[in-house]
Amino acid sequence: ASGSIALSDGDTMIQVMVTAEDGVTTQTYTLSAHRTGQDASLMDLSISTGGFDPLFDPGTYDYSQITNATSLAASAFSTDKYASVQLRINGAIRPLNSEQSLVIGRNTVVVSVTAEDGVPTRVYSIVVTRRSSDATLSSLVLSSGAIEPTFSPNVLSYNHTTNAVSLTVTPTTNYEHAVVEVNGSIVTSGIASA
């Protein structure tokens, strides 16, 4: 038996050479010994919508980002080339490096890395919050009387005739996180102006 041959993760080439009694003829046998990897870490993780917080570190598993983008592509490279990498966006398995649509609000990007030996798995998570571009109202109500024409989110000009000395305006945004102002003063959506 030979002395012990150390095997690292991946392939180790072992050569066995036989020399005939004549001292001239030789035959070399090659053995490739493959030791299954146990590394389930990433060496790189990125998304097409830009950087995330904190900066990528293989030992950090939770990240976040706020974006205006409507889609993203994720790329991930395992430290061990034999490890498997799986991407899920909002629970659905998606291919790496292909554009995927984002919903408005919270999107969860999960990258699971399974070591070649199938034992350790590491999960990296990025919460990507997509901002809304919706700047419409769902309703516009006055404290007295009606507006002309009847309110519609796509109509931007209205008229109101009254003999009142003041009135309040209650604008309600279509998207809850939009900011609404009345005559330059910020008001809460769905609450009458002061």
Side-chain angles (χ1 to χ4, degrees), residues 163-184:
N163 60 2
V165 293
S166 69
L167 60 89
T168 60
V169 178
T170 305
T172 303
T173 59
N174 195 42
Y175 183 68
E176 66 180 323
H177 297 295
V179 176
V180 64
E181 298 179 26
V182 175
N183 283 344

Side-chain angles (χ1 to χ4, degrees), residues 37-152:
Q38 300 173 341
D39 188 347
S41 65
L42 288 178
M43 72 169 130
D44 188 40
L45 174 63
S46 63
I47 52 179
S48 61
T49 53
F52 37 79
D53 186 41
L55 293 175
F56 177 71
D57 178 281
T60 301
Y61 304 103
D62 296 307
Y63 300 90
S64 64
Q65 182 194 65
I66 297 174
T67 185
N68 293 331
T70 59
S71 65
L72 68 74
S75 101
F77 296 96
S78 59
T79 303
D80 178 354
K81 69 180 180 180
Y82 297 108
S84 64
V85 178
Q86 182 183 69
L87 170 68
R88 288 182 183 268
I89 298 179
N90 295 329
I93 296 174
R94 300 290 186 214
L96 288 165
N97 303 313
S98 68
E99 286 292 318
Q100 303 298 320
S101 295
L102 297 173
V103 297
I104 293 172
R106 182 185 175 102
N107 294 269
T108 304
V109 178
V110 175
V111 177
S112 301
V113 185
T114 303
E116 182 185 19
D117 68 2
V119 179
T121 297
R122 290 197 180 146
V123 178
Y124 296 83
S125 176
I126 310 168
V127 175
V128 178
T129 303
R130 177 184 163 200
R131 293 183 188 125
S132 171
S133 60
D134 186 346
T136 61
L137 292 176
S138 60
S139 71
L140 182 61
V141 178
L142 304 179
S143 57
S144 64
I147 57 174
E148 291 290 331
T150 302
F151 178 78
S152 171

